[in-house]
Amino acid sequence: MAVRDVLLSGDPRLRQPSRAVPPSQFGGEVLFALVQDLRDTMAACDGAGLAAPQIGVPLRVVVFGISRNPRYPQAAPIAETVLVNPEVTPLDPELEAGEEGCLSVPGLRAAVPRWRRVRYAAFTPSGEPVVREVEGFHARVVQHECDHLAGILFTDRLG
Ligand code: NI
């Protein structure tokens, strides 16, 4: 359990694609420790989400969730969620622009086009499958965090 340093834009580790977590690590102490570090770091930074590569761990793990977040005052709450090996697919082709920031890009916020409705499939850290269909800010956060797993920052998606 630790608050880790968040890598900043310009660090080449943010640009590397992350690897899938091998199923043999599901339910294991190493994965649980990584998840706890992500949760602690996200909470310390008041973030709405954090991806493992942002703390220098190139694995496909993200956390997100907001209660009432001063960084996103108009967003509906999202229960804290941990996704291992997530895959996101659009449910319809409609894009919607909405404001985003990123703990790796401090001081910058901008309107980013994202799919409005998506389905995501992933595993919990214990290895149970998760499938959800979401829209709006929840869909936006998932797309933002999963972009990090491909080495993509929101600034790459600005026109
Ligand atoms: Ni981010």
Side-chain angles (χ1 to χ4, degrees):
M1 297 182 293
V3 174
R4 306 270 292 264
D5 288 337
V6 175
L7 305 187
L8 298 178
S9 178
D11 191 307
R13 290 172 288 178
L14 287 173
R15 295 309 194 168
Q16 291 165 359
S18 292
R19 300 185 305 269
V21 175
S24 61
Q25 291 188 17
F26 291 171
E29 281 181 24
V30 172
L31 182 56
F32 286 137
L34 169 61
V35 168
Q36 193 59 50
D37 283 1
L38 286 167
R39 297 172 68 181
D40 291 347
T41 305
M42 184 175 83
C45 298
D46 241 346
L50 190 65
Q54 291 181 276
I55 60 168
V57 177
L59 290 172
R60 295 182 59 79
V61 181
V62 304
V63 302
F64 56 86
I66 51 171
S67 44
R68 224 168 305 164
N69 189 319
R71 285 166 58 88
Y72 297 95
Q74 75 283 35
I78 305 170
E80 188 173 277
T81 303
V82 180
L83 301 179
V84 178
N85 299 346
E87 301 291 345
V88 178
T89 51
L91 288 173
D92 67 48
E94 192 184 342
L95 295 173
E96 188 171 65
E99 191 172 271
E100 295 181 21
C102 179
L103 296 176
S104 293
V105 191
L108 182 67
R109 299 174 71 85
V112 183
R114 300 283 187 187
W115 290 314
R116 195 179 67 79
R117 295 178 61 233
V118 300
R119 174 185 296 117
Y120 60 84
F123 294 91
T124 68
S126 303
E128 288 136 27
V130 177
V131 179
R132 285 194 194 123
E133 295 185 357
V134 298
E135 60 182 35
F137 192 71
H138 192 153
R140 174 170 302 281
V141 169
V142 172
Q143 289 170 81
H144 177 116
E145 298 313 326
C146 290
D147 265 1
H148 279 297
L149 305 181
I152 296 168
L153 299 177
F154 81 97
T155 47
D156 301 341
R157 296 197 179 276
L158 304 177

